[in-house]
Amino acid sequence: MLLPAIIIVLIYSYGPMVGLVIAFEKYVPAKGMIHSKWIGLDNFKYVISLPDTYRVLYNTVYISFMKMVAGLIAPIIVALLLNEIRAMVFKRLYQTFIYLPHFLSWIILGGIMLDILSPSSGLANQLLQSLGFEPIFFLGDNRWFPYVLVGSDVWKEFGFSTIVYLAALTGINPSLYEAAEIDGANRWQQTRHVTLPGMVPIMILLATLSLGQILNAGFDQVFNLYNAQVYESGDIIDTLVYRLGLQQAQYGVATAVGLFKSVVSFVFISLSYIFAYRFANYRIF
């Protein structure tokens, strides 16, 4: 039963790794990987010398870290609120609404965000103007763009993570709530002393596993929302690779950047699994 999945992984995940040799070549498509000139680490030296490299690396880590934090806090709050709803009809209805954006692509959500945040006709700026504030160019202002990325990412994905926390809530022993109620604890005290401690293991697990995504700031999202005006605050490693490789045809340089990202991500993923095993007793095998 595992054989088809293994074959797919070998073909589409491990097979393309042969192309990593391009990172050490002055790659010319007409000559191919075998006959292109070998230049060693020159592509990596060139990438380090680029004036935008450190800014792009900072943007990637900064945006990813904010997404990680917001993506952990928002689902916990929503799961606790949903857990207090006693009418199952409304609870399932709310779950469906918050879960729906997860199934939409960033092509669709990007168009929705453009309409909502438009400086002239967007709903957000119309609301600001009605309150007496000046309109804000959310997608063209470097001060606001990173937070737009974080907010829209949380809006899209927090419903999926909420389900994980709701599942964790079902595993808490009901007798603990009964004992707390007998001791005179109100709903907030029960949440504080029973619910949250019961959710700690899954919180630790998701937090540590998210370390592996520290260099994945979301290419699909950024590519569909950013523009040249916000390169300073929104340009990330993946969009840099896209411009170098596909727009400027610097295949070797783009591969070098991608290889650097993969190596660092591998280190973070390894550390995240070590931490997950140590603090949450989570293991793959």
Side-chain angles (χ1 to χ4, degrees):
M1 292 177 65
L2 288 175
L3 186 59
I6 293 174
I7 292 175
I8 290 174
V9 170
L10 290 176
I11 293 175
Y12 292 104
S13 296
Y14 287 91
M17 290 181 68
V18 176
L20 292 177
V21 69
I22 296 174
F24 306 94
E25 296 179 338
K26 187 176 179 61
Y27 180 71
V28 179
K31 295 181 179 180
M33 290 185 294
I34 297 177
H35 300 290
S36 293
K37 181 180 178 182
W38 182 269
I39 58 174
L41 299 176
D42 287 356
N43 285 327
F44 295 91
K45 294 177 182 178
Y46 174 74
V47 170
I48 294 175
S49 68
L50 289 175
D52 296 335
T53 298
Y54 296 102
R55 175 178 56 81
V56 168
L57 183 59
Y58 171 79
N59 290 341
T60 304
V61 175
Y62 179 61
I63 294 172
S64 297
F65 180 75
M66 287 198 298
K67 285 183 177 181
M68 285 168 50
V69 174
L72 288 171
I73 295 175
I76 294 173
I77 295 174
V78 175
L80 292 175
L81 293 175
L82 287 175
N83 190 52
E84 296 300 317
I85 299 176
R86 294 292 173 254
M88 291 303 298
V89 174
F90 292 106
K91 185 175 182 179
R92 291 174 181 173
L93 183 63
Y94 294 145
Q95 279 185 256
T96 302
F97 279 131
I98 65 176
Y99 192 40
L100 183 61
H102 174 75
F103 295 99
L104 301 179
S105 70
W106 276 113
I107 299 294
I108 297 174
L109 291 179
I112 294 174
M113 296 301 297
L114 289 173
D115 289 336
I116 294 176
L117 301 177
S118 171
S120 58
S121 60
L123 181 63
N125 277 306
Q126 288 182 4
L127 179 60
L128 288 175
Q129 288 177 314
S130 68
L131 296 175
F133 296 99
E134 292 294 324
I136 300 173
F137 192 5
F138 290 99
L139 298 179
D141 191 329
N142 284 300
R143 294 173 299 175
W144 287 97
F145 187 71
Y147 304 106
V148 171
L149 293 177
V150 175
S152 56
D153 181 75
V154 171
W155 171 46
K156 183 178 187 298
E157 300 296 344
F158 83 96
F160 180 81
S161 300
T162 299
I163 293 177
V164 177
Y165 289 113
L166 286 173
L169 289 174
T170 61
I172 299 176
N173 192 341
S175 62
L176 296 176
Y177 291 103
E178 296 173 1
E181 189 173 358
I182 293 173
D183 289 339
N186 55 32
R187 292 301 300 176
W188 165 244
Q189 291 171 328
Q190 291 177 36
T191 300
R192 180 182 174 185
H193 297 288
V194 179
T195 306
L196 287 176
M199 296 172 65
V200 165
I202 193 65
M203 292 179 192
I204 295 175
L205 175 62
L206 294 181
T208 52
L209 293 181
S210 64
L211 287 176
Q213 305 297 319
I214 191 66
L215 292 186
N216 290 326
F219 172 77
D220 292 346
Q221 179 195 23
V222 177
F223 183 73
N224 282 285
L225 293 178
Y226 87 146
N227 54 75
Q229 289 181 276
V230 290
Y231 278 176
E232 181 181 343
S233 64
D235 200 15
I236 60 175
I237 292 177
D238 291 331
T239 53
L240 177 64
V241 170
Y242 170 80
R243 290 203 310 278
L244 290 174
L246 296 181
Q247 293 185 343
Q248 301 177 19
Q250 300 185 59
Y251 303 110
V253 177
T255 306
V257 177
L259 179 57
F260 167 77
K261 176 191 171 184
S262 298
V263 171
V264 176
S265 296
F266 176 76
V267 173
F268 276 111
I269 289 173
S270 301
L271 289 174
S272 69
Y273 279 110
I274 292 173
F275 292 148
Y277 172 69
R278 178 168 296 181
F279 297 110
N281 198 30
Y282 173 83
R283 60 197 313 171
I284 304 176
F285 304 108

